[in-house]
Amino acid sequence: MAAGNRYGLAQLKAGWTTGDRSRLAQLLIVALVVFTAAIFIASIMTGAADASLGNVLGWLLGMDGAEQAVSARDRIIILDIRLPRAVMGFLVGASLAVSGAVMQGLFRNPLADPALVGVSGGASLGAVTMIVLGSTFFGPLFSAFGFYTLPVAAFLGGLVTTLLLYRIATRGGQTSVATMLLAGIALGALAGAVTGILIFIADDKQLRDLTFWGLGSLAGANWTKILSAGPIILASLAVVPFLARGLNALTLGEAAAFHMGVPVQRLKNIAIVSVAASTGASVAVSGGIGFVGIVVPHVLRLVIGPDHRYLLPASALLGGILLIFADMVARTIVPPAELPIGIITAFAGAPFFLWVLLRGRSHMGL
Amino acid sequence: MKYAPDFRRLRSWELALAIFAVTAPFVMPALSPHGPSFIAAAAAQDMQKVDASRLVSIGGAVTEIIYALGEEGRIVARDSTSIYPESAMKLPDVGYMRQLSPEGVIATNPSAIIAVEGSGPPEALNILKAANIPFQTVPEAYSRDGILAKIRTVGDFLGVPDKATALADTVRADLDAAVADAAARPQSERKRVLFILSTQNGKIMASGTGTAADGVIRLSGALNATGNFQGYKPLTDEAIIEAKPDVILMMDRRGSHAASDTELFSHPALSLTPAAKNQTVIRMDGLHLLGFGPRTAGTVRTLNAAIYGKKTNASQ
């Protein structure tokens, strides 16, 4: 397997990856790490309310006199409002962007994205079911998990959709990517239809919950949500680097990758499960935030090329940065009110994407 | 050729990871029942007496009541549904009542928050409560007693129960007079009113029972033409014809987006109703019509007069 992978990579390098491009990619990743740290701090420092980060840091570090200097209000603003939003923004952004990149690599289709194969739709259905029918049919579950029922339901919805997708697309141990793509579209439509029925029978209060949940927002970020979704997202992200070489080989086609010694079936299994888990977890805590999964990998591919060894970590970083930034704008642009984040991601991302596309077109041969 | 999920060849570490992913959302919260929050530390600080000198007022009716009590000087911010009286619009707007941003509310430096039932989202309210800002929920009910309860709740929270009692008495007397007038009309003479929330894509969203529109229609001595379902629902064309409304009631959307009467009655199903024959459409300001605040007696009178014309009631 290792030898096969090396062979595959050598081919790729001869094909379109130059040393220059690798160095550029490495530089970009370092820059993105620095930028992530910077935007994280900026996000914690800015907001509608005034709060002293210095005082809170002093209190956290147990400095003398800091106990008196820091107010309860500052502590809550920084540690319970801004910090969870920044952490969750980074996790969700990274998860969406990496899921998009993995899906696009797996399906060798630039339009692939968790939303396309129905995973997001399944996760949404799980959450909507819980909002509408939760108090009627799942009362005991509510009392057992309380605040958690929604994330858990969305996660399970995403997982069930993925398993169904697998059952449909796998025949005699072989998973057909084409069947999976088409079945995913069908399952997504089906999930949408069931969601429609639930929306129809929902009462006014539930409808309002659904509307705001559907818009996507990090406004509900808190430490409990991070504890429920964070481990799943981190575990999925941790698996992804091991997929990079396989996805590179897959670019040449499934048969070619198989003959290079890539365990194609296993690669698909791991990729699908990790995408389902992290998408389900992200949708559960932040609602439907679109656009990040499809744009971030594309922009990066135009800049640093298609080598997944660089593309995947860079996608995670840029996705996280983009979402923290979008959230910062969302909560500071119309203070003291706040905009839904989906509006910001589309407004900030789309023109930038077009600009990169037009600039990159000439030397990318698009 | 058999159908089966292909998970048999999972390695042990993959299995472990899968198990972890599936169980994490259940296990992690269980390990920390209250969540690792910095809130507890802050909430432990002393609970003072409620200081209602700097209020954030959430909900159009709540804001109206505070103005009616003459306590508007205490409001430092309001939500986007608080658009009456006009001077309330000059206050900072913290956004829609169901989508409040906790930091935005804290930024206005309130000493207390007073919000109508249904404000949210719950996450935002939790943070605000944890931030030790006294929080009062005002119950919502679409009836005479509901309005009086709102006034009393607001008055008690503001520490002006006497003013609230006086206001409640005035509102009660006014409302009772308006309602008695409307209630005297015999059932057989009552007109059927269809409240239309929106007419998007030719789909008519109408209000069933348990809604503010239903409440105000009943108070005005009329019948809700679609009283056989709960909440707001899109009606089929046949249901509209079957509802036989004598009057169409709509919110008056400021600006040019209001569907004109001609447009409205060119709807195939609506065109067959008695309302279309008489061309009877009543449009009223949304907050005035559905707010269930101190102005509702006026709403009932206006609506009653609009439905029945200047014709006097059977009682007079």
Side-chain angles (χ1 to χ4, degrees):
Chain A
M1 168 178 167
N5 272 343
R6 253 197 307 276
Y7 176 57
L9 253 181
Q11 270 209 336
L12 289 187
K13 275 200 167 140
W16 355 275
T17 318
T18 64
D20 281 353
R21 187 150 257 189
S22 296
R23 264 196 298 284
L24 176 68
Q26 285 159 1
L27 271 177
L28 185 80
I29 288 176
V30 172
L32 285 176
V33 169
V34 174
F35 202 61
T36 301
I39 198 143
F40 198 85
I41 293 166
S43 164
I44 293 170
M45 286 174 68
T46 53
D50 289 323
S52 160
L53 178 60
N55 284 347
V56 174
L57 277 181
W59 170 71
L60 277 182
L61 298 172
M63 273 162 52
D64 286 340
E67 183 76 50
Q68 284 74 44
V70 68
S71 67
R73 179 178 171 276
D74 283 9
R75 256 182 270 168
I76 284 179
I77 289 173
I78 289 180
L79 299 176
D80 280 309
I81 297 179
R82 293 185 194 164
L83 192 60
R85 285 182 83 137
V87 171
M88 204 160 99
F90 187 81
L91 286 174
V92 170
S95 144
L96 293 175
V98 167
S99 296
V102 170
M103 282 255 162
Q104 285 156 23
L106 195 64
F107 290 125
R108 278 163 286 137
N109 183 329
L111 291 175
D113 160 87
L116 190 72
V117 293
V119 179
S120 304
S124 299
L125 177 57
V128 170
T129 307
M130 207 39 80
I131 291 174
V132 178
L133 302 177
S135 49
T136 323
F137 294 106
F138 305 104
L141 209 64
F142 257 120
S143 44
F145 296 111
F147 213 53
Y148 271 94
T149 346
L150 201 60
V152 171
F155 169 71
L156 292 179
L159 207 65
V160 167
T161 316
T162 315
L163 291 177
L164 258 175
L165 200 62
Y166 240 84
R167 246 200 125 83
I168 293 168
T170 305
R171 271 192 155 197
Q174 292 299 307
T175 308
S176 152
V177 164
T179 312
M180 192 186 280
L181 202 58
L182 292 173
I185 292 170
L187 284 178
L190 197 62
V194 180
T195 307
I197 293 176
L198 290 170
I199 288 176
F200 183 77
I201 63 171
D203 66 29
D204 297 350
K205 185 188 165 297
Q206 292 165 343
L207 268 180
R208 288 187 205 108
D209 288 350
L210 290 176
T211 316
F212 288 117
W213 188 84
L215 281 174
S217 172
L218 295 178
N222 58 41
W223 293 108
T224 5
K225 281 191 181 177
I226 289 172
L227 259 192
S228 76
I232 302 176
I233 294 175
L234 286 177
S236 310
L237 290 179
V239 176
V240 164
F242 299 106
L243 303 175
R245 284 161 190 275
L247 288 176
N248 278 346
L250 210 56
T251 329
L252 303 173
E254 261 182 59
F258 181 75
H259 289 299
M260 280 175 211
V262 174
V264 175
Q265 192 56 40
R266 174 184 299 280
L267 178 75
K268 287 195 268 189
N269 284 347
I270 301 173
I272 289 290
V273 169
S274 80
V275 166
S278 77
T279 305
S282 302
V283 169
V285 290
S286 66
I289 297 178
F291 201 69
V292 177
I294 203 144
V295 165
V296 169
H298 277 286
V299 168
L300 287 169
R301 221 175 273 120
L302 286 170
V303 179
I304 62 172
D307 187 341
H308 287 89
R309 289 176 306 164
Y310 304 121
L311 185 63
L312 295 177
S315 290
L317 292 166
L318 189 60
I321 290 169
L322 189 69
L323 219 56
I324 294 181
F325 177 73
D327 182 53
M328 249 170 87
V329 175
R331 60 196 170 81
T332 52
I333 197 166
V334 285
E338 117 177 25
L339 277 181
I341 196 169
I343 298 173
I344 312 289
T345 50
F347 256 121
F352 177 69
F353 183 44
L354 281 175
W355 177 71
V356 173
L357 200 65
L358 291 173
R359 266 200 68 219
R361 183 164 61 175
S362 51
H363 58 85
M364 287 295 296
L366 281 173
Chain B
M1 287 291 197
K2 61 176 182 160
Y3 293 86
D6 196 35
F7 282 109
R8 276 159 297 165
R9 279 181 288 165
L10 281 180
R11 282 184 184 165
S12 54
W13 68 270
E14 287 166 1
L15 195 68
L17 206 65
I19 291 171
F20 172 70
V22 173
T23 54
F26 300 88
V27 172
M28 298 302 282
L31 291 180
S32 61
H34 303 294
S37 180
F38 299 92
I39 284 176
Q45 292 200 337
D46 59 323
M47 293 285 293
Q48 326 98 313
K49 250 181 71 184
V50 174
D51 164 16
S53 63
R54 295 178 51 81
L55 292 173
V56 173
S57 173
I58 308 294
V62 172
T63 307
E64 274 186 39
I65 291 171
I66 298 177
Y67 270 84
L69 290 169
E71 300 289 332
E72 65 268 21
R74 305 190 192 193
I75 308 179
V76 291
R78 45 112 203 175
D79 76 318
S80 61
T81 68
S82 301
I83 52 169
Y84 182 90
E86 201 127 321
S87 52
M89 312 263 285
K90 295 197 190 88
L91 295 162
D93 177 359
V94 294
Y96 184 52
M97 56 178 280
R98 299 182 205 282
Q99 207 193 10
L100 301 171
S101 142
E103 187 173 341
V105 173
I106 293 176
T108 63
N109 197 22
S111 67
I113 299 161
I114 183 158
V116 76
E117 187 182 337
S119 302
E123 291 92 342
L125 301 190
N126 283 339
I127 289 181
L128 291 172
K129 284 171 189 164
N132 239 359
I133 303 173
F135 190 96
Q136 176 67 49
T137 304
V138 179
E140 176 78 278
Y142 307 121
S143 64
R144 182 197 86 150
D145 292 344
I147 297 172
L148 301 178
K150 275 184 197 168
I151 294 174
R152 265 183 235 109
T153 309
V154 174
D156 287 347
F157 190 66
L158 265 58
V160 288
D162 297 347
K163 276 190 184 178
T165 308
L167 178 63
D169 286 344
T170 318
V171 169
R172 187 198 292 116
D174 198 13
L175 206 53
D176 281 350
V179 171
D181 206 33
R185 188 171 299 278
Q187 286 286 331
S188 57
E189 278 181 32
R190 296 192 178 201
K191 290 197 176 174
R192 301 171 65 82
V193 179
L194 178 70
F195 178 77
I196 297 181
L197 185 66
S198 68
T199 57
Q200 274 183 338
N201 305 322
K203 248 191 309 188
I204 305 286
M205 281 285 272
S207 69
T209 55
T211 59
D214 182 74
V216 80
I217 289 171
R218 280 167 202 276
L219 287 183
S220 308
L223 301 169
N224 185 351
T226 56
N228 54 355
F229 58 85
Q230 282 240 322
Y232 294 92
K233 287 271 175 334
L235 292 188
T236 63
D237 288 358
E238 292 183 22
I240 294 170
I241 299 168
E242 195 60 25
K244 296 193 283 284
D246 301 304
V247 176
I248 305 294
L249 179 60
M250 294 181 81
M251 279 194 268
D252 186 6
R253 309 228 183 252
R254 273 158 259 196
S256 55
H257 295 292
S260 73
D261 295 3
T262 349
E263 247 178 86
L264 191 67
F265 290 125
S266 66
H267 186 284
L270 275 180
S271 67
L272 296 174
T273 62
K277 283 183 199 107
N278 321 321
Q279 295 281 304
T280 332
V281 187
I282 301 170
R283 288 193 171 84
M284 280 178 82
D285 170 76
L287 179 61
H288 193 194
L289 182 65
L290 307 176
F292 277 81
R295 289 186 292 157
T296 298
T299 311
V300 168
R301 285 205 179 85
T302 314
L303 194 57
N304 184 275
I307 293 172
Y308 296 106
K310 296 277 178 258
K311 209 169 63 177
T312 49
N313 283 352
S315 64
Q316 292 169 325

